[in-house]
Amino acid sequence: MQLTEIRWHARAGQGAVTAAKVVAETALSADQYMQAMPEYGPERMGAPIKAFTRISDEPIEIHNNIEFPDVVIVLDDSLIDVVDVTEGIKPNGSIIINTCSPAAAVKKALGVADTVTVACVDASGIALDTIKRDIPNTPIVGAFTKVTGVINIDTFKGLLAKNLSKKFGQEMIDANFAAVDRAYQEVTVA
Amino acid sequence: MANQKTIAETGNVLVAQAMRQCKPDVMAAYPITPQTTIVEEFAKYVAQGRCHTEYVTVESEHSAMSACVGASAAGARVMTATCSQGLALMWEELYIAAGMRLPIVMANANRALSAPINIHCDHSDAMGARDAGWIMLFAETAQEAYDNTIMSVRIAEHSDVLLPVMTCLDGFITTHSVDRADIFDDDTVAEFVGEYVPAYALLDTDNPSSHGNFSGLGGPYFEFKKQQRLAIDASMAVIKSVGAEFSELSGRPFDVVEGWGMEDAEVVIVVIGSSAGNVRHVARGLRAQGIKAGVLKIRVFRPFPAAEVAAALVGVKAIAVMDRSESFGAEGGPLYLEVRSALYDSSERLPVVDYIYGLGGSDVRLELIERVYSDLADIASGSMAPFGMTYLGTR
């Protein structure tokens, strides 16, 4: 059983719960099994929140919290000083961060083992350029597809188009595609 | 087997979809905290014209169940949803719904009761209502929550039963998590549940009847209660037959108790709800190490499948019950009391211990379950004495 466990860190309002769900839906469209669960608590805009995704090629029967994630995705680099985003990361895991800082510097600052991959992408900057709003959740999934290969970028874009077409026109779909592609190309790892 | 579509949705959305597909005439709900997104989702379907349900927004959960009682007595197919404090506030009406023999179907998201304030998964809400006269089904997954909801309609409305059904799913773990599930098309569900033909509708003026009348000293109150007992006992056969029919339609197994590895199990955990998956996962690992671990999942709690539980546990060496609720001052949690009682007539005296776990959403870590199986191995070998009840994983 190939099980991937993902933890999302974000500030409430950045779309982490939606992204966790879209990644799960993408996995489903590739006929995989998945769970996506937000961590609920007293919540207000801007407060640190967590969400979780599990993806597997076989049915998932566990329902406990994810303590030792394979992948951590951080949607806001100011959280690095507030919460321990590296908590429980597996020795060969990946941490993907929305930041302008270079990956090597971030890796040093996080103090993680050499075997952990730290991937950085300016998802907010890309979102502002393409979608014209600071919604880093869509581009960061583009970076996630490249760094981990757990879901396929084209499958993700297909699902994105399907979801967006319910409310928006082709222009918005193209802007989101551009965001995903740019993050895929621009993500750097250390 | 009917055609189904695989989707990714939360347990709440799946229950709301199941309810819409069962075409209730009336849904009464108090659409703010403490509620679930089940009624929020359902309100959306009504607004979109995807169902023709009379959606009654009321001022409290007490009123929600009161409205359900009135509408059901009038002859409507009625549904609602609740959780934790909301279910607690419905207390009086739960007994009235059962006493008036009204086939209301209610989803309950199992969540903790105050105090201290906590919104997370816990079975205390439903277990507190276990003597109210409702049939109670529990789901391990969002898929089971969807399936149980559809079956509930047929069970509740069966002429041998006519009792309300509470269909329970674990708060947050199942209600708010997106999971993979297969759903039917609307016509398949409509055909399975059929049209509701009430036997004694208040609004059937050609056949006048009265419900829930005063029955003081010397009245038929005592006999009514006996009728309720006979009905809920009779419901076991109905649950099994509806379950078998549903199983054929869905291709998914259903039983009132569902065993894993029980054929030759020596150490067994009895469990309800989402934790059954965690327990099965650990048991799988232990089997690979040669330990004969088994899991007995309770899917129907009322009526309690005592005979089925006792039969499943024959030949086992040690049993642990996991209770996600308390019965303060009793010998153990509600499930433990049932399981021990079910085993009383067994020819062999089996050691049974109880673990209170996961209250207020406390995480059911796999190492905790490993500890339970390890205790059971020690009890089975005689190196540990059965200890009654304990708390699992408190700090």
Side-chain angles (χ1 to χ4, degrees), chain B residues 325-346:
Chain B
S325 62
E326 255 287 18
S327 181
F328 294 111
E331 293 275 314
L335 181 56
Y336 175 70
L337 301 177
E338 298 288 348
V339 171
R340 282 239 295 191
S341 173
L343 292 171
Y344 188 81
D345 293 327
S346 300

Side-chain angles (χ1 to χ4, degrees), chain B residues 195-217:
Chain B
E195 192 93 3
Y196 175 45
V197 185
Y200 309 101
L202 269 182
L203 293 184
D204 178 4
T205 49
D206 293 334
N207 299 289
S209 61
S210 58
H211 296 216
N213 300 343
F214 179 70
S215 171
L217 197 59

Side-chain angles (χ1 to χ4, degrees), chain A residues 51-84:
Chain A
F52 304 90
T53 310
R54 280 192 177 103
I55 296 172
S56 172
D57 53 352
E58 283 176 42
I60 304 167
E61 56 189 352
I62 48 173
H63 295 281
N64 52 333
N65 294 342
I66 293 173
E67 289 180 279
F68 305 106
D70 301 281
V71 182
V72 170
I73 301 176
V74 184
L75 282 168
D76 190 320
D77 63 357
S78 72
L79 285 169
I80 292 172
D81 302 325
V82 184
V83 291
D84 181 7

